[in-house]
Amino acid sequence: LAWGEFGRRVGVPRILELLASHNVPASFFMPAVCALIDPTETKRITAGGHEIGIHGWIHENNSKLDATTERDLVLRARDVLEQQIGQAPVGFRSANWDLSPDTIAIVTELGLEYDSSLMADEDCYELLLDGEPTGVVEIPVEWLRDDAVYLMVNRDPATRPWLSPDQVFDIFKKEFDAAWELRGLFQLVMHPFIIGYRSRIWILDKLIEHAKSKGDVWFGTHAEVARWVRQETLR
């Protein structure tokens, strides 16, 4: 619990300060219970021009829930975030990227603009439901672009950081460079309680600096990316 509290008390403010220094927007996916514990956090995030997306009720594993329970928790999470940020969230990321057979149907039913939990491509694509287009844009994730894979500590199962911050930066930089060469999407996942430490936050700082040095780069929230994809390709 204290580890998670570090993310809220230290990690998020540190990340927000860094993003502000670069004038770069980001998307924060927040379980509803986190928003209820500290309602001021959502306000700090949105005041910085950032997006808040749905990330479950309490980071529950959707693949282990029946359809009724899963739908209820997503709806409750949506309502809490809407009340706190003053507008309905438009995107969803499943906790642990675990989906049930019902998840996409729920996302579609809610009229959300995008999901960001799947890995079928490196660039965005439209989700199908029973073979039919949903209009939901998938902004794909990948474990290799996730700081937790390399830097997380866990007791059960026992895991420890196995790469140095310098090595993690090199992986992210190579991923970005490849995306830039292809004029494609570079989507990155970071956790405040992982990247937010003094010896690690520089990874994000240097990555943004490197991206800006390319010149022809657009920084967008997931919502902005989804709207661009819908406008340009889903016609």
Side-chain angles (χ1 to χ4, degrees):
L1 289 174
W3 191 27
E5 189 176 358
F6 172 89
R8 176 180 64 82
R9 295 179 60 187
V10 181
V12 170
R14 189 168 280 163
I15 291 168
L16 291 176
E17 182 180 3
L18 174 60
L19 294 173
S21 71
H22 287 288
N23 193 29
V24 166
S27 298
F28 289 75
F29 295 90
M30 182 182 295
V33 169
C34 294
L36 291 171
I37 289 172
D38 182 6
T40 67
E41 185 172 34
T42 54
K43 294 178 174 59
R44 292 196 302 271
I45 292 170
T46 55
H50 308 294
E51 173 196 9
I52 294 180
I54 302 170
H55 200 38
W57 177 253
I58 193 168
H59 211 266
E60 64 276 3
N61 187 331
N62 288 327
S63 70
K64 298 181 178 180
L65 302 177
D66 62 79
T68 300
T69 302
E70 180 181 6
R71 182 179 181 275
D72 177 60
L73 291 177
V74 173
L75 288 169
R76 289 166 61 188
R78 190 239 358 229
D79 292 347
V80 166
L81 294 182
E82 180 176 5
Q83 182 179 16
Q84 291 206 9
I85 67 180
Q87 60 185 24
V90 301
F92 174 82
R93 172 168 291 156
S94 184
N96 304 312
W97 302 338
D98 286 314
L99 280 73
S100 78
D102 307 295
T103 306
I104 300 306
I106 295 170
V107 169
T108 304
E109 176 194 346
L110 266 59
L112 297 177
E113 297 182 22
Y114 72 87
D115 172 75
S116 186
S117 315
L118 297 171
M119 308 180 184
D121 208 317
E122 293 169 326
D123 291 317
C124 298
Y125 54 96
E126 182 178 10
L127 292 180
L128 304 180
L129 185 61
D130 297 327
E132 297 297 324
T134 62
V136 178
V137 174
E138 180 63 33
I139 303 178
V141 293
E142 226 304 318
W143 293 110
L144 64 88
R145 297 189 305 273
D146 184 326
D147 62 353
V149 173
Y150 313 107
L151 299 172
M152 187 173 181
V153 175
N154 196 38
R155 289 184 175 182
D156 185 19
T159 56
R160 293 292 183 269
W162 63 283
L163 290 181
S164 70
D166 296 271
Q167 291 170 309
V168 175
F169 172 75
D170 187 59
I171 293 171
F172 291 162
K173 179 177 177 292
K174 284 183 169 64
E175 272 286 301
F176 169 82
D177 287 343
W180 185 82
E181 290 289 342
L182 295 170
R183 300 186 65 80
L185 173 71
F186 174 72
Q187 188 275 352
L188 183 68
V189 175
M190 289 181 163
H191 301 78
F193 59 92
I194 295 176
I195 201 65
Y197 286 92
R198 291 169 292 194
S199 61
R200 296 172 175 176
I201 191 67
W202 69 267
I203 297 174
L204 180 57
D205 186 32
K206 295 303 180 185
L207 199 60
I208 293 173
E209 288 183 356
H210 176 68
K212 285 187 171 182
S213 73
K214 295 288 189 179
D216 187 17
V217 173
W218 173 50
F219 294 88
T221 65
H222 283 56
E224 290 169 336
V225 170
R227 287 164 189 164
W228 184 91
V229 170
R230 184 174 291 104
Q231 177 182 339
E232 296 297 321
T233 64
L234 303 188
R235 296 175 176 174

